[in-house]
Amino acid sequence: MTPLDSKLQLAHWLPPERTRPETLSGPLKDARGADWSGLVLGSIDLSGALLCRVDLRGSDLSSCVLEGADLRLARYDSKTVFPEGFEIRSTGAVGPGARLNGAFLNGANLRDMDLRGTNLMGAYLSGADLSGCLLDQVRLVGADLRHAVLRGARCRGTRFGSCQLDFADFRGADLTDAGLEGVESIRGADFSLTTGLDPLRSQLLSRPIQEVDCWNPLTRQSTRASLDAAAVNP
């Protein structure tokens, strides 16, 4: 072992995503990308810790110290328990009721997340994976959803006004009572196998030919063809 290795303790180093909560110590507490889902963390000092993208779904952090922790893009759900008085919704973490208006979530992996009650107005979600998400009644007004994946997402009553939906993948999504009026563009979007789209189909088909006849190279069909396919699967 070289003197530098000894100083940095490289022999015992683990990448942040493999860090367990009980091993965090010292001035740099780095667990970015770790999977702590379903854990009971106990009385652990996580103040100032780097917890970006940590999966906290189903975890109990009620006895932890979280002041100053970086929780951006950490994932939580209705079963996650935080210390009394800790306001998770404004930390940049993703979960029910989160305040993410205008947030940069391009390319984020949000698959199967419960996002009900979340504020995503004006959020940047280009290329994000929202497959299987619960988005009922969520306001996505002004959001950038270009190339976003919403396969199988539940979007009942979701508001998409002024959204950019170019090449968005809605295959198999539930769009019952969704507000697609006033979207900026649906160029290349795929609506195959969606449900609840009947009231809006004719309106979407009346959009400019540059949008509805645009070919989607991923799903290998045009938006018009996908809307026709949705009609076969009401």
Side-chain angles (χ1 to χ4, degrees), residues 145-148 165-171 185-192 207-224 226-227:
L145 286 162
R146 290 175 294 178
H147 297 275
L165 299 178
D166 293 6
F167 300 100
D169 185 353
F170 284 97
R171 288 179 292 177
S185 174
I186 60 169
R187 185 171 66 94
D190 195 308
F191 296 95
S192 302
R207 294 185 66 91
I209 192 172
Q210 295 88 345
E211 295 182 25
V212 294
D213 286 333
C214 181
W215 178 259
N216 186 314
L218 176 64
T219 64
R220 302 186 64 79
Q221 65 179 338
S222 67
T223 299
R224 185 187 302 278
S226 75
L227 288 166

PDB file of all heavy atoms in Angstrom, residues 145-148 165-171 185-192 207-224 226-227:
ATOM      1  N   LEU A 145     -41.812  17.538 -21.349  1.00  0.00           N
ATOM      2  CA  LEU A 145     -41.907  16.078 -21.330  1.00  0.00           C
ATOM      3  C   LEU A 145     -41.447  15.467 -22.649  1.00  0.00           C
ATOM      4  O   LEU A 145     -41.834  14.349 -22.988  1.00  0.00           O
ATOM      5  CB  LEU A 145     -43.343  15.653 -21.023  1.00  0.00           C
ATOM      6  CG  LEU A 145     -43.794  15.823 -19.560  1.00  0.00           C
ATOM      7  CD1 LEU A 145     -45.308  15.795 -19.458  1.00  0.00           C
ATOM      8  CD2 LEU A 145     -43.190  14.733 -18.693  1.00  0.00           C
ATOM      9  N   ARG A 146     -40.605  16.176 -23.365  1.00  0.00           N
ATOM     10  CA  ARG A 146     -40.109  15.634 -24.627  1.00  0.00           C
ATOM     11  C   ARG A 146     -39.309  14.353 -24.379  1.00  0.00           C
ATOM     12  O   ARG A 146     -38.453  14.310 -23.510  1.00  0.00           O
ATOM     13  CB  ARG A 146     -39.228  16.665 -25.337  1.00  0.00           C
ATOM     14  CG  ARG A 146     -40.010  17.861 -25.884  1.00  0.00           C
ATOM     15  CD  ARG A 146     -39.098  18.916 -26.461  1.00  0.00           C
ATOM     16  NE  ARG A 146     -38.263  19.522 -25.416  1.00  0.00           N
ATOM     17  CZ  ARG A 146     -37.335  20.448 -25.651  1.00  0.00           C
ATOM     18  NH1 ARG A 146     -37.111  20.849 -26.891  1.00  0.00           N
ATOM     19  NH2 ARG A 146     -36.640  20.957 -24.656  1.00  0.00           N
ATOM     20  N   HIS A 147     -39.654  13.309 -25.124  1.00  0.00           N
ATOM     21  CA  HIS A 147     -38.994  12.001 -25.021  1.00  0.00           C
ATOM     22  C   HIS A 147     -39.177  11.347 -23.648  1.00  0.00           C
ATOM     23  O   HIS A 147     -38.478  10.374 -23.324  1.00  0.00           O
ATOM     24  CB  HIS A 147     -37.497  12.116 -25.340  1.00  0.00           C
ATOM     25  CG  HIS A 147     -37.214  12.552 -26.748  1.00  0.00           C
ATOM     26  ND1 HIS A 147     -37.167  11.672 -27.815  1.00  0.00           N
ATOM     27  CD2 HIS A 147     -36.973  13.792 -27.264  1.00  0.00           C
ATOM     28  CE1 HIS A 147     -36.894  12.340 -28.916  1.00  0.00           C
ATOM     29  NE2 HIS A 147     -36.778  13.627 -28.616  1.00  0.00           N
ATOM     30  N   ALA A 148     -40.091  11.858 -22.838  1.00  0.00           N
ATOM     31  CA  ALA A 148     -40.363  11.217 -21.550  1.00  0.00           C
ATOM     32  C   ALA A 148     -41.097   9.902 -21.774  1.00  0.00           C
ATOM     33  O   ALA A 148     -41.841   9.739 -22.742  1.00  0.00           O
ATOM     34  CB  ALA A 148     -41.186  12.142 -20.667  1.00  0.00           C
ATOM     35  N   LEU A 165     -44.800  17.695 -25.519  1.00  0.00           N
ATOM     36  CA  LEU A 165     -44.943  16.237 -25.469  1.00  0.00           C
ATOM     37  C   LEU A 165     -44.309  15.557 -26.672  1.00  0.00           C
ATOM     38  O   LEU A 165     -44.622  14.410 -26.978  1.00  0.00           O
ATOM     39  CB  LEU A 165     -46.426  15.859 -25.394  1.00  0.00           C
ATOM     40  CG  LEU A 165     -47.209  16.369 -24.174  1.00  0.00           C
ATOM     41  CD1 LEU A 165     -48.674  15.954 -24.265  1.00  0.00           C
ATOM     42  CD2 LEU A 165     -46.595  15.842 -22.882  1.00  0.00           C
ATOM     43  N   ASP A 166     -43.380  16.238 -27.344  1.00  0.00           N
ATOM     44  CA  ASP A 166     -42.743  15.653 -28.521  1.00  0.00           C
ATOM     45  C   ASP A 166     -42.110  14.304 -28.175  1.00  0.00           C
ATOM     46  O   ASP A 166     -41.292  14.198 -27.247  1.00  0.00           O
ATOM     47  CB  ASP A 166     -41.655  16.576 -29.062  1.00  0.00           C
ATOM     48  CG  ASP A 166     -42.215  17.879 -29.624  1.00  0.00           C
ATOM     49  OD1 ASP A 166     -43.435  18.092 -29.489  1.00  0.00           O
ATOM     50  OD2 ASP A 166     -41.443  18.677 -30.179  1.00  0.00           O
ATOM     51  N   PHE A 167     -42.513  13.252 -28.904  1.00  0.00           N
ATOM     52  CA  PHE A 167     -41.966  11.904 -28.781  1.00  0.00           C
ATOM     53  C   PHE A 167     -42.177  11.290 -27.391  1.00  0.00           C
ATOM     54  O   PHE A 167     -41.494  10.326 -27.015  1.00  0.00           O
ATOM     55  CB  PHE A 167     -40.478  11.878 -29.151  1.00  0.00           C
ATOM     56  CG  PHE A 167     -40.228  12.334 -30.572  1.00  0.00           C
ATOM     57  CD1 PHE A 167     -39.801  13.624 -30.840  1.00  0.00           C
ATOM     58  CD2 PHE A 167     -40.454  11.472 -31.643  1.00  0.00           C
ATOM     59  CE1 PHE A 167     -39.604  14.055 -32.142  1.00  0.00           C
ATOM     60  CE2 PHE A 167     -40.250  11.880 -32.945  1.00  0.00           C
ATOM     61  CZ  PHE A 167     -39.824  13.190 -33.188  1.00  0.00           C
ATOM     62  N   ALA A 168     -43.108  11.843 -26.611  1.00  0.00           N
ATOM     63  CA  ALA A 168     -43.443  11.229 -25.318  1.00  0.00           C
ATOM     64  C   ALA A 168     -44.096   9.872 -25.565  1.00  0.00           C
ATOM     65  O   ALA A 168     -44.867   9.691 -26.503  1.00  0.00           O
ATOM     66  CB  ALA A 168     -44.377  12.131 -24.532  1.00  0.00           C
ATOM     67  N   ASP A 169     -43.790   8.912 -24.703  1.00  0.00           N
ATOM     68  CA  ASP A 169     -44.278   7.543 -24.865  1.00  0.00           C
ATOM     69  C   ASP A 169     -45.372   7.279 -23.823  1.00  0.00           C
ATOM     70  O   ASP A 169     -45.092   7.036 -22.653  1.00  0.00           O
ATOM     71  CB  ASP A 169     -43.115   6.568 -24.675  1.00  0.00           C
ATOM     72  CG  ASP A 169     -43.502   5.116 -24.946  1.00  0.00           C
ATOM     73  OD1 ASP A 169     -44.701   4.853 -25.148  1.00  0.00           O
ATOM     74  OD2 ASP A 169     -42.594   4.258 -24.959  1.00  0.00           O
ATOM     75  N   PHE A 170     -46.635   7.359 -24.268  1.00  0.00           N
ATOM     76  CA  PHE A 170     -47.788   7.143 -23.387  1.00  0.00           C
ATOM     77  C   PHE A 170     -48.378   5.743 -23.536  1.00  0.00           C
ATOM     78  O   PHE A 170     -49.488   5.504 -23.076  1.00  0.00           O
ATOM     79  CB  PHE A 170     -48.896   8.162 -23.707  1.00  0.00           C
ATOM     80  CG  PHE A 170     -48.637   9.555 -23.192  1.00  0.00           C
ATOM     81  CD1 PHE A 170     -48.106  10.525 -24.016  1.00  0.00           C
ATOM     82  CD2 PHE A 170     -48.953   9.881 -21.882  1.00  0.00           C
ATOM     83  CE1 PHE A 170     -47.893  11.813 -23.547  1.00  0.00           C
ATOM     84  CE2 PHE A 170     -48.741  11.164 -21.394  1.00  0.00           C
ATOM     85  CZ  PHE A 170     -48.208  12.138 -22.229  1.00  0.00           C
ATOM     86  N   ARG A 171     -47.705   4.827 -24.141  1.00  0.00           N
ATOM     87  CA  ARG A 171     -48.288   3.523 -24.429  1.00  0.00           C
ATOM     88  C   ARG A 171     -48.808   2.854 -23.154  1.00  0.00           C
ATOM     89  O   ARG A 171     -48.093   2.705 -22.178  1.00  0.00           O
ATOM     90  CB  ARG A 171     -47.258   2.620 -25.113  1.00  0.00           C
ATOM     91  CG  ARG A 171     -46.967   3.015 -26.556  1.00  0.00           C
ATOM     92  CD  ARG A 171     -45.912   2.108 -27.186  1.00  0.00           C
ATOM     93  NE  ARG A 171     -44.598   2.307 -26.575  1.00  0.00           N
ATOM     94  CZ  ARG A 171     -43.523   1.603 -26.897  1.00  0.00           C
ATOM     95  NH1 ARG A 171     -43.596   0.654 -27.827  1.00  0.00           N
ATOM     96  NH2 ARG A 171     -42.367   1.838 -26.308  1.00  0.00           N
ATOM     97  N   SER A 185     -47.154  20.801 -28.073  1.00  0.00           N
ATOM     98  CA  SER A 185     -46.896  19.949 -29.231  1.00  0.00           C
ATOM     99  C   SER A 185     -47.020  18.489 -28.833  1.00  0.00           C
ATOM    100  O   SER A 185     -46.663  18.100 -27.713  1.00  0.00           O
ATOM    101  CB  SER A 185     -45.489  20.213 -29.789  1.00  0.00           C
ATOM    102  OG  SER A 185     -45.167  19.295 -30.827  1.00  0.00           O
ATOM    103  N   ILE A 186     -47.540  17.662 -29.761  1.00  0.00           N
ATOM    104  CA  ILE A 186     -47.579  16.204 -29.549  1.00  0.00           C
ATOM    105  C   ILE A 186     -46.793  15.515 -30.672  1.00  0.00           C
ATOM    106  O   ILE A 186     -47.014  14.339 -30.956  1.00  0.00           O
ATOM    107  CB  ILE A 186     -49.017  15.666 -29.499  1.00  0.00           C
ATOM    108  CG1 ILE A 186     -49.758  15.953 -30.821  1.00  0.00           C
ATOM    109  CG2 ILE A 186     -49.778  16.246 -28.310  1.00  0.00           C
ATOM    110  CD1 ILE A 186     -51.088  15.212 -30.941  1.00  0.00           C
ATOM    111  N   ARG A 187     -45.887  16.212 -31.281  1.00  0.00           N
ATOM    112  CA  ARG A 187     -45.142  15.697 -32.436  1.00  0.00           C
ATOM    113  C   ARG A 187     -44.423  14.397 -32.084  1.00  0.00           C
ATOM    114  O   ARG A 187     -43.556  14.348 -31.218  1.00  0.00           O
ATOM    115  CB  ARG A 187     -44.117  16.737 -32.903  1.00  0.00           C
ATOM    116  CG  ARG A 187     -43.359  16.371 -34.180  1.00  0.00           C
ATOM    117  CD  ARG A 187     -42.547  17.547 -34.668  1.00  0.00           C
ATOM    118  NE  ARG A 187     -41.490  17.880 -33.723  1.00  0.00           N
ATOM    119  CZ  ARG A 187     -40.230  17.418 -33.790  1.00  0.00           C
ATOM    120  NH1 ARG A 187     -39.893  16.602 -34.781  1.00  0.00           N
ATOM    121  NH2 ARG A 187     -39.327  17.783 -32.911  1.00  0.00           N
ATOM    122  N   GLY A 188     -44.806  13.323 -32.755  1.00  0.00           N
ATOM    123  CA  GLY A 188     -44.152  12.040 -32.550  1.00  0.00           C
ATOM    124  C   GLY A 188     -44.550  11.312 -31.282  1.00  0.00           C
ATOM    125  O   GLY A 188     -44.024  10.230 -30.999  1.00  0.00           O
ATOM    126  N   ALA A 189     -45.473  11.868 -30.494  1.00  0.00           N
ATOM    127  CA  ALA A 189     -45.906  11.189 -29.270  1.00  0.00           C
ATOM    128  C   ALA A 189     -46.669   9.918 -29.632  1.00  0.00           C
ATOM    129  O   ALA A 189     -47.326   9.840 -30.670  1.00  0.00           O
ATOM    130  CB  ALA A 189     -46.784  12.113 -28.436  1.00  0.00           C
ATOM    131  N   ASP A 190     -46.587   8.910 -28.754  1.00  0.00           N
ATOM    132  CA  ASP A 190     -47.248   7.630 -29.022  1.00  0.00           C
ATOM    133  C   ASP A 190     -48.303   7.370 -27.954  1.00  0.00           C
ATOM    134  O   ASP A 190     -47.993   7.302 -26.763  1.00  0.00           O
ATOM    135  CB  ASP A 190     -46.219   6.498 -29.025  1.00  0.00           C
ATOM    136  CG  ASP A 190     -46.775   5.223 -29.653  1.00  0.00           C
ATOM    137  OD1 ASP A 190     -47.872   4.789 -29.223  1.00  0.00           O
ATOM    138  OD2 ASP A 190     -46.130   4.661 -30.553  1.00  0.00           O
ATOM    139  N   PHE A 191     -49.578   7.218 -28.395  1.00  0.00           N
ATOM    140  CA  PHE A 191     -50.711   7.014 -27.491  1.00  0.00           C
ATOM    141  C   PHE A 191     -51.306   5.611 -27.629  1.00  0.00           C
ATOM    142  O   PHE A 191     -52.444   5.383 -27.237  1.00  0.00           O
ATOM    143  CB  PHE A 191     -51.795   8.055 -27.772  1.00  0.00           C
ATOM    144  CG  PHE A 191     -51.377   9.479 -27.493  1.00  0.00           C
ATOM    145  CD1 PHE A 191     -50.891  10.285 -28.513  1.00  0.00           C
ATOM    146  CD2 PHE A 191     -51.456  10.004 -26.214  1.00  0.00           C
ATOM    147  CE1 PHE A 191     -50.505  11.597 -28.262  1.00  0.00           C
ATOM    148  CE2 PHE A 191     -51.073  11.310 -25.948  1.00  0.00           C
ATOM    149  CZ  PHE A 191     -50.590  12.109 -26.975  1.00  0.00           C
ATOM    150  N   SER A 192     -50.544   4.676 -28.156  1.00  0.00           N
ATOM    151  CA  SER A 192     -51.061   3.319 -28.359  1.00  0.00           C
ATOM    152  C   SER A 192     -51.511   2.699 -27.034  1.00  0.00           C
ATOM    153  O   SER A 192     -50.863   2.870 -25.996  1.00  0.00           O
ATOM    154  CB  SER A 192     -49.974   2.416 -28.964  1.00  0.00           C
ATOM    155  OG  SER A 192     -49.511   2.935 -30.186  1.00  0.00           O
ATOM    156  N   ARG A 207     -54.805  18.403 -34.844  1.00  0.00           N
ATOM    157  CA  ARG A 207     -53.617  19.230 -34.690  1.00  0.00           C
ATOM    158  C   ARG A 207     -52.820  19.239 -35.991  1.00  0.00           C
ATOM    159  O   ARG A 207     -53.076  18.428 -36.902  1.00  0.00           O
ATOM    160  CB  ARG A 207     -52.777  18.733 -33.515  1.00  0.00           C
ATOM    161  CG  ARG A 207     -53.484  18.913 -32.157  1.00  0.00           C
ATOM    162  CD  ARG A 207     -52.565  18.508 -31.016  1.00  0.00           C
ATOM    163  NE  ARG A 207     -51.426  19.403 -30.917  1.00  0.00           N
ATOM    164  CZ  ARG A 207     -51.398  20.502 -30.164  1.00  0.00           C
ATOM    165  NH1 ARG A 207     -52.447  20.851 -29.434  1.00  0.00           N
ATOM    166  NH2 ARG A 207     -50.315  21.261 -30.133  1.00  0.00           N
ATOM    167  N   PRO A 208     -51.838  20.122 -36.148  1.00  0.00           N
ATOM    168  CA  PRO A 208     -51.098  20.248 -37.410  1.00  0.00           C
ATOM    169  C   PRO A 208     -50.520  18.925 -37.895  1.00  0.00           C
ATOM    170  O   PRO A 208     -50.095  18.079 -37.100  1.00  0.00           O
ATOM    171  CB  PRO A 208     -49.985  21.245 -37.058  1.00  0.00           C
ATOM    172  CG  PRO A 208     -50.557  22.072 -35.954  1.00  0.00           C
ATOM    173  CD  PRO A 208     -51.405  21.127 -35.157  1.00  0.00           C
ATOM    174  N   ILE A 209     -50.527  18.758 -39.201  1.00  0.00           N
ATOM    175  CA  ILE A 209     -50.069  17.511 -39.808  1.00  0.00           C
ATOM    176  C   ILE A 209     -48.620  17.217 -39.445  1.00  0.00           C
ATOM    177  O   ILE A 209     -48.201  16.061 -39.343  1.00  0.00           O
ATOM    178  CB  ILE A 209     -50.264  17.573 -41.343  1.00  0.00           C
ATOM    179  CG1 ILE A 209     -50.063  16.183 -41.955  1.00  0.00           C
ATOM    180  CG2 ILE A 209     -49.325  18.610 -41.974  1.00  0.00           C
ATOM    181  CD1 ILE A 209     -50.427  16.128 -43.426  1.00  0.00           C
ATOM    182  N   GLN A 210     -47.824  18.280 -39.213  1.00  0.00           N
ATOM    183  CA  GLN A 210     -46.422  18.080 -38.836  1.00  0.00           C
ATOM    184  C   GLN A 210     -46.301  17.352 -37.500  1.00  0.00           C
ATOM    185  O   GLN A 210     -45.282  16.709 -37.219  1.00  0.00           O
ATOM    186  CB  GLN A 210     -45.688  19.425 -38.746  1.00  0.00           C
ATOM    187  CG  GLN A 210     -45.557  20.167 -40.055  1.00  0.00           C
ATOM    188  CD  GLN A 210     -46.755  21.068 -40.328  1.00  0.00           C
ATOM    189  OE1 GLN A 210     -47.800  20.930 -39.693  1.00  0.00           O
ATOM    190  NE2 GLN A 210     -46.589  21.987 -41.264  1.00  0.00           N
ATOM    191  N   GLU A 211     -47.323  17.454 -36.670  1.00  0.00           N
ATOM    192  CA  GLU A 211     -47.314  16.766 -35.379  1.00  0.00           C
ATOM    193  C   GLU A 211     -47.868  15.351 -35.494  1.00  0.00           C
ATOM    194  O   GLU A 211     -47.218  14.380 -35.099  1.00  0.00           O
ATOM    195  CB  GLU A 211     -48.132  17.560 -34.351  1.00  0.00           C
ATOM    196  CG  GLU A 211     -47.544  18.918 -34.006  1.00  0.00           C
ATOM    197  CD  GLU A 211     -48.366  19.646 -32.948  1.00  0.00           C
ATOM    198  OE1 GLU A 211     -49.067  18.966 -32.170  1.00  0.00           O
ATOM    199  OE2 GLU A 211     -48.324  20.887 -32.911  1.00  0.00           O
ATOM    200  N   VAL A 212     -49.089  15.233 -36.044  1.00  0.00           N
ATOM    201  CA  VAL A 212     -49.766  13.929 -36.000  1.00  0.00           C
ATOM    202  C   VAL A 212     -49.184  12.925 -36.990  1.00  0.00           C
ATOM    203  O   VAL A 212     -49.325  11.709 -36.795  1.00  0.00           O
ATOM    204  CB  VAL A 212     -51.288  14.080 -36.233  1.00  0.00           C
ATOM    205  CG1 VAL A 212     -51.923  14.850 -35.084  1.00  0.00           C
ATOM    206  CG2 VAL A 212     -51.584  14.727 -37.566  1.00  0.00           C
ATOM    207  N   ASP A 213     -48.530  13.391 -38.045  1.00  0.00           N
ATOM    208  CA  ASP A 213     -47.937  12.460 -39.001  1.00  0.00           C
ATOM    209  C   ASP A 213     -46.427  12.314 -38.802  1.00  0.00           C
ATOM    210  O   ASP A 213     -45.727  11.776 -39.664  1.00  0.00           O
ATOM    211  CB  ASP A 213     -48.235  12.896 -40.435  1.00  0.00           C
ATOM    212  CG  ASP A 213     -49.680  12.628 -40.818  1.00  0.00           C
ATOM    213  OD1 ASP A 213     -50.282  11.697 -40.242  1.00  0.00           O
ATOM    214  OD2 ASP A 213     -50.222  13.347 -41.674  1.00  0.00           O
ATOM    215  N   CYS A 214     -45.939  12.757 -37.656  1.00  0.00           N
ATOM    216  CA  CYS A 214     -44.517  12.608 -37.366  1.00  0.00           C
ATOM    217  C   CYS A 214     -44.213  11.174 -36.929  1.00  0.00           C
ATOM    218  O   CYS A 214     -44.913  10.604 -36.088  1.00  0.00           O
ATOM    219  CB  CYS A 214     -44.100  13.596 -36.269  1.00  0.00           C
ATOM    220  SG  CYS A 214     -42.348  13.526 -35.850  1.00  0.00           S
ATOM    221  N   TRP A 215     -43.165  10.614 -37.501  1.00  0.00           N
ATOM    222  CA  TRP A 215     -42.771   9.230 -37.226  1.00  0.00           C
ATOM    223  C   TRP A 215     -41.945   9.155 -35.939  1.00  0.00           C
ATOM    224  O   TRP A 215     -41.012   9.925 -35.740  1.00  0.00           O
ATOM    225  CB  TRP A 215     -41.963   8.713 -38.409  1.00  0.00           C
ATOM    226  CG  TRP A 215     -41.434   7.309 -38.273  1.00  0.00           C
ATOM    227  CD1 TRP A 215     -40.175   6.928 -37.939  1.00  0.00           C
ATOM    228  CD2 TRP A 215     -42.170   6.101 -38.510  1.00  0.00           C
ATOM    229  NE1 TRP A 215     -40.067   5.566 -37.941  1.00  0.00           N
ATOM    230  CE2 TRP A 215     -41.267   5.022 -38.291  1.00  0.00           C
ATOM    231  CE3 TRP A 215     -43.490   5.821 -38.892  1.00  0.00           C
ATOM    232  CZ2 TRP A 215     -41.647   3.692 -38.432  1.00  0.00           C
ATOM    233  CZ3 TRP A 215     -43.866   4.491 -39.029  1.00  0.00           C
ATOM    234  CH2 TRP A 215     -42.965   3.446 -38.810  1.00  0.00           C
ATOM    235  N   ASN A 216     -42.304   8.210 -35.068  1.00  0.00           N
ATOM    236  CA  ASN A 216     -41.539   7.988 -33.843  1.00  0.00           C
ATOM    237  C   ASN A 216     -40.584   6.814 -34.093  1.00  0.00           C
ATOM    238  O   ASN A 216     -41.033   5.681 -34.233  1.00  0.00           O
ATOM    239  CB  ASN A 216     -42.477   7.676 -32.673  1.00  0.00           C
ATOM    240  CG  ASN A 216     -41.757   7.577 -31.342  1.00  0.00           C
ATOM    241  OD1 ASN A 216     -40.720   6.937 -31.230  1.00  0.00           O
ATOM    242  ND2 ASN A 216     -42.323   8.193 -30.311  1.00  0.00           N
ATOM    243  N   PRO A 217     -39.276   7.053 -34.157  1.00  0.00           N
ATOM    244  CA  PRO A 217     -38.342   5.975 -34.492  1.00  0.00           C
ATOM    245  C   PRO A 217     -38.239   4.901 -33.408  1.00  0.00           C
ATOM    246  O   PRO A 217     -37.818   3.778 -33.691  1.00  0.00           O
ATOM    247  CB  PRO A 217     -37.002   6.700 -34.667  1.00  0.00           C
ATOM    248  CG  PRO A 217     -37.141   7.958 -33.859  1.00  0.00           C
ATOM    249  CD  PRO A 217     -38.591   8.346 -33.969  1.00  0.00           C
ATOM    250  N   LEU A 218     -38.617   5.229 -32.176  1.00  0.00           N
ATOM    251  CA  LEU A 218     -38.551   4.242 -31.099  1.00  0.00           C
ATOM    252  C   LEU A 218     -39.715   3.261 -31.171  1.00  0.00           C
ATOM    253  O   LEU A 218     -39.530   2.039 -31.117  1.00  0.00           O
ATOM    254  CB  LEU A 218     -38.541   4.937 -29.738  1.00  0.00           C
ATOM    255  CG  LEU A 218     -38.566   4.014 -28.517  1.00  0.00           C
ATOM    256  CD1 LEU A 218     -37.290   3.167 -28.464  1.00  0.00           C
ATOM    257  CD2 LEU A 218     -38.720   4.819 -27.233  1.00  0.00           C
ATOM    258  N   THR A 219     -40.937   3.801 -31.312  1.00  0.00           N
ATOM    259  CA  THR A 219     -42.122   2.933 -31.343  1.00  0.00           C
ATOM    260  C   THR A 219     -42.502   2.529 -32.768  1.00  0.00           C
ATOM    261  O   THR A 219     -43.410   1.728 -32.964  1.00  0.00           O
ATOM    262  CB  THR A 219     -43.312   3.635 -30.682  1.00  0.00           C
ATOM    263  OG1 THR A 219     -43.664   4.811 -31.433  1.00  0.00           O
ATOM    264  CG2 THR A 219     -42.959   4.063 -29.258  1.00  0.00           C
ATOM    265  N   ARG A 220     -41.843   3.140 -33.750  1.00  0.00           N
ATOM    266  CA  ARG A 220     -41.976   2.790 -35.158  1.00  0.00           C
ATOM    267  C   ARG A 220     -43.393   2.989 -35.685  1.00  0.00           C
ATOM    268  O   ARG A 220     -43.939   2.145 -36.413  1.00  0.00           O
ATOM    269  CB  ARG A 220     -41.492   1.354 -35.416  1.00  0.00           C
ATOM    270  CG  ARG A 220     -40.037   1.125 -35.003  1.00  0.00           C
ATOM    271  CD  ARG A 220     -39.545  -0.249 -35.409  1.00  0.00           C
ATOM    272  NE  ARG A 220     -39.540  -0.410 -36.876  1.00  0.00           N
ATOM    273  CZ  ARG A 220     -38.596   0.073 -37.682  1.00  0.00           C
ATOM    274  NH1 ARG A 220     -37.591   0.773 -37.183  1.00  0.00           N
ATOM    275  NH2 ARG A 220     -38.660  -0.125 -38.972  1.00  0.00           N
ATOM    276  N   GLN A 221     -43.995   4.113 -35.311  1.00  0.00           N
ATOM    277  CA  GLN A 221     -45.257   4.508 -35.908  1.00  0.00           C
ATOM    278  C   GLN A 221     -45.460   6.006 -35.691  1.00  0.00           C
ATOM    279  O   GLN A 221     -44.768   6.636 -34.898  1.00  0.00           O
ATOM    280  CB  GLN A 221     -46.420   3.713 -35.332  1.00  0.00           C
ATOM    281  CG  GLN A 221     -46.695   3.941 -33.865  1.00  0.00           C
ATOM    282  CD  GLN A 221     -47.878   3.115 -33.396  1.00  0.00           C
ATOM    283  OE1 GLN A 221     -48.727   2.686 -34.177  1.00  0.00           O
ATOM    284  NE2 GLN A 221     -47.963   2.880 -32.096  1.00  0.00           N
ATOM    285  N   SER A 222     -46.415   6.550 -36.421  1.00  0.00           N
ATOM    286  CA  SER A 222     -46.696   7.981 -36.296  1.00  0.00           C
ATOM    287  C   SER A 222     -47.671   8.224 -35.152  1.00  0.00           C
ATOM    288  O   SER A 222     -48.329   7.299 -34.655  1.00  0.00           O
ATOM    289  CB  SER A 222     -47.296   8.515 -37.597  1.00  0.00           C
ATOM    290  OG  SER A 222     -48.589   7.947 -37.807  1.00  0.00           O
ATOM    291  N   THR A 223     -47.777   9.474 -34.753  1.00  0.00           N
ATOM    292  CA  THR A 223     -48.743   9.837 -33.718  1.00  0.00           C
ATOM    293  C   THR A 223     -50.162   9.513 -34.176  1.00  0.00           C
ATOM    294  O   THR A 223     -50.978   9.017 -33.394  1.00  0.00           O
ATOM    295  CB  THR A 223     -48.621  11.333 -33.380  1.00  0.00           C
ATOM    296  OG1 THR A 223     -47.301  11.583 -32.882  1.00  0.00           O
ATOM    297  CG2 THR A 223     -49.640  11.749 -32.338  1.00  0.00           C
ATOM    298  N   ARG A 224     -50.459   9.782 -35.441  1.00  0.00           N
ATOM    299  CA  ARG A 224     -51.794   9.479 -35.966  1.00  0.00           C
ATOM    300  C   ARG A 224     -52.110   7.983 -35.841  1.00  0.00           C
ATOM    301  O   ARG A 224     -53.188   7.590 -35.386  1.00  0.00           O
ATOM    302  CB  ARG A 224     -51.898   9.911 -37.434  1.00  0.00           C
ATOM    303  CG  ARG A 224     -53.301   9.730 -38.028  1.00  0.00           C
ATOM    304  CD  ARG A 224     -53.309  10.016 -39.529  1.00  0.00           C
ATOM    305  NE  ARG A 224     -52.846  11.364 -39.835  1.00  0.00           N
ATOM    306  CZ  ARG A 224     -53.623  12.452 -39.767  1.00  0.00           C
ATOM    307  NH1 ARG A 224     -54.904  12.334 -39.403  1.00  0.00           N
ATOM    308  NH2 ARG A 224     -53.132  13.639 -40.076  1.00  0.00           N
ATOM    309  N   SER A 226     -50.847   5.891 -33.774  1.00  0.00           N
ATOM    310  CA  SER A 226     -50.996   5.520 -32.366  1.00  0.00           C
ATOM    311  C   SER A 226     -52.363   5.928 -31.830  1.00  0.00           C
ATOM    312  O   SER A 226     -52.949   5.221 -31.005  1.00  0.00           O
ATOM    313  CB  SER A 226     -49.883   6.155 -31.525  1.00  0.00           C
ATOM    314  OG  SER A 226     -50.092   7.539 -31.307  1.00  0.00           O
ATOM    315  N   LEU A 227     -52.875   7.059 -32.293  1.00  0.00           N
ATOM    316  CA  LEU A 227     -54.216   7.492 -31.869  1.00  0.00           C
ATOM    317  C   LEU A 227     -55.288   6.565 -32.436  1.00  0.00           C
ATOM    318  O   LEU A 227     -56.275   6.272 -31.781  1.00  0.00           O
ATOM    319  CB  LEU A 227     -54.465   8.937 -32.298  1.00  0.00           C
ATOM    320  CG  LEU A 227     -53.688   9.999 -31.507  1.00  0.00           C
ATOM    321  CD1 LEU A 227     -53.738  11.349 -32.220  1.00  0.00           C
ATOM    322  CD2 LEU A 227     -54.259  10.121 -30.096  1.00  0.00           C
TER     323      LEU A 227
END
